[in-house]
Amino acid sequence: MRYEDMDWAELELRSGLELVNITGGVVFLSRGGPTPSSDFTNSPGSNGVPYELLNSKEVNERWPGFKVPNGIDAVYTADTGIVHASTCVTAMQYQARANGVILKEKTRTEMAIHISKGSYRAKKVTLAADTWTNKLLGPLKSEIPVVTTMQEQVTYFKPSDPERYDPKSFPVWIWGGETVYYGFPTYGEPTIKAGRGVQQNVMHPDHHTFVPSQEQPKKLTRFMDSIIPGHGPELRTVTCQYTITPDRQFIIGPLAKYPDVILALGNGHAFKFVPAIGRVVAELAIDGKTTDDISKFPMSSPTGSRKL
């Protein structure tokens, strides 16, 4: 997440709250692995984002909480950070209400404009319904192809020396490879959070159990032993929901056959872009166009055939 993102800065200005906590971020990539560091650095390099390329010794010296083995490259970006999800959602809801939006919370949507608490007529409809998007698109004979919903989970560990993992001196991190792991410094409590990306615990959206897998924390703990040995014991594990398509790309824009219906699907990694995505769909709804280039976020199937 770039702190210079003007949409986050504007939300902070309007709300009077500090929503972005800069910690720095490290992406670990194994030499000879599926994603070499040279490929990864092409993205920040081509977009003018400052970064450092570090080896494992430099990482372990800069952040003693890590014990990264040899043969690992690390790409560090200083402007990476954390946003507190519930605080940010509350701030955005307040701003929406202050600007005349009526929020219908805990309301099941049965059709695009017919909901369980009444019916509404509107010139534009925006669907940001995550895994339930296709259910709402059904009456329009449209769908997002190849959508997978998974129950994910993250684990909180209680280190004996939480100050070592303070966000002022310990970064957000991602371990890239065939199996992806990620984690955070302490934030709001003396724990560190970590998880495995895309755990393939496929589920039906209406059957979310909220019961964590007993095996995943064991695998995660073994991995944490290898790079953050001071992580401490597992404190708790909580679940969340991922809805993804094969390319993990955003889907943002109007339906081809129904241009007054606008889609926004984040593919499991959109929260850090929420102010920008919200602004874009608002521009599409109000102005019929956006100042941002959203051509990279179309609706298509893996074969390239358009369904919407």
Side-chain angles (χ1 to χ4, degrees):
M1 170 178 45
R2 300 291 308 283
Y3 184 69
E4 299 83 43
D5 181 349
M6 295 306 296
D7 294 293
W8 278 112
E10 183 175 352
L11 180 59
E12 288 188 322
L13 181 64
R14 287 176 177 269
S15 66
L17 299 173
E18 182 179 346
L19 301 173
V20 182
N21 189 333
I22 298 301
T23 63
V26 182
V27 177
F28 298 110
L29 299 162
S30 176
R31 294 172 200 158
T35 305
S37 59
S38 58
D39 285 358
F40 190 86
T41 55
N42 284 339
S43 177
S46 62
N47 289 284
V49 180
Y51 69 89
E52 295 179 61
L53 185 60
L54 307 172
N55 59 38
S56 56
K57 181 180 178 181
E58 292 170 323
V59 168
N60 297 336
E61 289 177 349
R62 185 179 297 193
W63 301 288
F66 284 122
K67 189 178 180 181
V68 179
N70 293 328
I72 301 296
D73 289 326
V75 181
Y76 172 68
T77 50
D79 61 356
T80 301
I82 301 172
V83 293
H84 191 283
S86 59
T87 300
C88 292
V89 169
T90 300
M92 287 183 277
Q93 289 175 330
Y94 182 88
Q95 290 301 311
R97 290 189 172 99
N99 285 277
V101 174
I102 300 173
L103 299 179
K104 295 287 186 179
E105 299 178 341
K106 299 180 180 179
T107 303
R108 181 181 297 276
T109 302
E110 298 161 354
M111 295 182 65
I113 56 174
H114 299 289
I115 63 176
S116 59
K117 295 183 180 180
S119 298
Y120 296 85
R121 297 183 65 86
K123 292 182 178 180
K124 301 278 186 176
V125 174
T126 297
L127 296 182
D130 195 66
T131 192
W132 294 276
T133 301
N134 276 346
K135 184 176 182 179
L136 299 177
L137 290 176
L140 302 179
K141 307 300 182 184
S142 298
E143 68 172 359
I144 300 172
V146 197
V147 175
T148 301
T149 301
M150 291 176 280
Q151 179 171 286
E152 300 290 290
Q153 61 188 54
V154 294
T155 296
Y156 291 80
F157 296 91
K158 187 177 181 180
S160 59
D161 183 10
E163 291 187 3
R164 173 172 282 194
Y165 307 100
D166 187 274
K168 294 180 180 178
S169 55
F170 195 79
V172 173
W173 58 270
I174 298 174
W175 185 275
E178 294 182 2
T179 301
V180 175
Y181 293 94
Y182 59 90
F184 301 84
T186 59
Y187 192 70
E189 62 178 10
T191 63
I192 56 175
K193 181 173 76 171
R196 174 186 169 185
V198 190
Q199 298 172 27
Q200 298 298 333
N201 185 12
V202 178
M203 51 163 269
H204 188 281
D206 294 334
H207 301 153
H208 190 168
T209 67
F210 301 95
V211 178
S213 160
Q214 297 301 308
E215 290 301 316
Q216 289 297 335
K218 297 177 183 177
K219 295 177 181 179
L220 177 62
T221 297
R222 287 195 294 268
F223 174 78
M224 292 288 283
D225 288 343
S226 69
I227 69 160
I228 306 179
H231 59 78
E234 175 188 345
L235 187 64
R236 66 183 182 274
T237 295
V238 298
T239 66
C240 60
Q241 182 174 287
Y242 268 24
T243 300
I244 63 174
T245 59
D247 64 2
R248 298 294 304 275
Q249 188 58 276
F250 296 154
I251 297 173
I252 303 173
L255 303 188
K257 295 181 180 179
Y258 302 94
D260 291 335
V261 178
I262 301 162
L263 290 188
L265 180 70
N267 254 306
H269 60 108
F271 192 85
K272 51 188 170 289
F273 301 105
V274 162
I277 293 173
R279 174 181 53 76
V280 166
V281 297
E283 290 173 346
L284 291 171
I286 296 170
D287 303 325
K289 59 183 180 180
T290 176
T291 56
D292 287 52
D293 179 9
I294 58 172
S295 61
K296 295 180 180 180
F297 313 133
M299 251 312 311
S300 63
S301 73
T303 61
S305 60
R306 300 304 172 97
K307 293 290 187 81
L308 301 182

